[in-house]
Amino acid sequence: MSAQILDGGATAKTIANDLIAEVSRLSERTGKRPVLATVIVGDDSASHTYVRMKVARCKKVGIEPRQITLPAESSTEQVTREVRKLSEDDSVDGILVQHPAPVQVDEKQVFEAIDPGKDVDGVTSGSLAAMAFKEQGFRSATPGGIMRLLEEYGIELAGRRAVVVGRSRILGIPMGLLLLAENATVTYCHSKTTDLKQQVSRADVVVAAAGRPGLIAGDWIKQDAVVVDAGYADNSGDVEFDAAAERASWITPVPGGVGPMTIACLLGQTVESHRRRHGPG
Ligand code: NAP
């Protein structure tokens, strides 16, 4: 293997330590702790595992987690009502609606009920626009975490050809917007793309976000490219790690790459929301 590792686990730990200090300083001044409310609909076991992980990390840095669990058969209106209540609750700093919600729930409608000032997972249309136009707002947590990781390792993006594989609202689309904002030349690939191999093999930076294990063959990777694998399905990423690491200059491991950075971004934005809502400290 010749690639160096983009170590999301270690970077997220450093961020968490900084947040512990910041939360303690803020709480001393405000007499309150930041609060992150999570809404989870149904009993999907992977989603509950992700939420448990987020709750544990919240507690570690001094954020108070609140969990609202709704029955699997909840309607869009019922979920939206709960989210509105949290938007209006002054004690709540951040709101996360765990994705995916059951099929009968219109996620977009639910997301839009989140107060933009509390959208610490960066899922509302307002947050997407803010990412596109570099305005003040919160970033989608996974793309935001990836950008922070690239920044920590000093990866240059301006003028480089970036390929994002995936175009979901929570990951692929905001990822491309953030890369574009850093002056990368961005191409999106998706399930209807007919020349995925050609697109990937021209990329200086590849962000894989499809959730299809092994979709991206290691020998497609251009020599010295930067490879970020956000995919996670069947305990595996989207990229053939060993072969890709022979060609890449930098690569994220799965696990230990993007996952911890997603949570770090979420927690950081919750603390930032608390700071904004209670004045600078
Ligand atoms: P999603 O909503 O299912 O979107 C998947 C995207 O991949 C879609 O845009 C789809 O294209 C595209 N795609 C599917 N098959 C493809 C193929 N054969 N070739 C090219 N593109 C293809 O999933 P998501 O929520 O964005 O998540 C994507 C992956 O990231 C999942 O593995 C998920 O577990 C992981 N994830 C990880 C984290 C983390 O913290 N590590 C956070 C969020 C998600 P179409 O639009 O054409 O359907």
Side-chain angles (χ1 to χ4, degrees):
M1 163 169 149
S2 62
Q4 299 186 74
I5 294 293
L6 293 164
D7 190 340
T11 307
K13 263 192 198 138
T14 308
I15 294 171
N17 286 335
D18 292 346
L19 287 176
I20 290 170
E22 195 180 345
V23 169
S24 141
R25 190 171 48 78
L26 271 175
S27 302
E28 231 166 69
R29 203 178 50 75
T30 63
K32 301 171 199 270
R33 286 203 290 152
V35 173
L36 175 64
T38 301
V39 178
I40 181 164
V41 187
D43 39 27
D44 177 66
S45 71
S47 292
H48 278 270
T49 304
Y50 290 137
V51 170
R52 268 196 302 276
M53 281 164 61
K54 288 167 190 170
V55 164
R57 301 280 161 77
C58 277
K59 288 181 179 164
K60 262 198 177 142
V61 302
I63 294 173
E64 183 187 321
R66 281 195 204 152
Q67 191 177 325
I68 293 93
T69 306
L70 299 173
E73 60 278 10
S74 302
S75 66
T76 301
E77 286 65 33
Q78 284 165 327
V79 185
T80 304
R81 205 176 309 129
E82 286 302 322
V83 171
R84 265 203 211 103
K85 271 195 235 161
L86 295 169
S87 288
E88 286 159 12
D89 181 342
D90 197 44
S91 70
V92 171
D93 296 295
I95 302 169
L96 164 79
V97 179
Q98 184 61 38
H99 162 87
V103 283
Q104 80 278 6
V105 176
D106 179 345
E107 270 190 351
K108 184 172 178 301
Q109 191 177 318
V110 171
F111 288 161
E112 298 307 343
I114 299 173
D115 173 345
K118 299 183 180 183
D119 182 20
V120 294
D121 202 28
V123 295
T124 60
S125 299
S127 295
L128 284 170
M131 284 183 275
F133 301 117
K134 284 182 116 170
E135 289 163 359
Q136 177 170 307
F138 292 117
R139 293 174 159 191
S140 307
T142 303
I146 291 171
M147 294 304 283
R148 176 76 187 266
L149 186 62
L150 296 174
E151 198 180 295
E152 291 291 329
Y153 281 90
I155 306 293
E156 188 58 50
L157 295 168
R160 300 185 84 183
R161 193 186 292 274
V163 167
V164 180
V165 184
R167 56 172 168 178
S168 71
R169 182 185 177 93
I170 63 149
L171 210 176
I173 287 180
M175 187 72 243
L177 296 177
L178 293 176
L179 290 165
L180 183 65
E182 291 305 319
N183 297 315
T185 302
V186 178
T187 302
Y188 285 101
C189 296
H190 44 77
S191 67
K192 308 292 185 291
T193 298
T194 54
D195 59 348
L196 183 64
K197 178 181 174 181
Q198 284 85 340
Q199 294 294 342
V200 169
S201 60
R202 293 167 67 210
D204 303 311
V205 178
V206 180
V207 180
R212 299 283 181 276
L215 173 68
I216 297 174
D219 63 5
W220 294 2
I221 301 299
K222 183 175 156 183
Q223 195 64 41
D224 294 329
V226 175
V227 177
V228 175
D229 192 350
Y232 193 68
D234 303 331
N235 297 320
S236 178
D238 289 343
V239 180
E240 285 179 358
F241 181 87
D242 290 341
E246 291 300 327
R247 305 167 78 94
S249 55
W250 293 93
I251 191 166
T252 55
V254 179
V258 173
M261 290 305 296
T262 297
I263 299 181
C265 181
L266 177 72
L267 303 190
Q269 295 193 139
T270 302
V271 175
E272 173 61 15
S273 168
H274 187 72
R275 197 182 60 73
R276 283 184 198 164
R277 298 177 66 251
H278 297 282

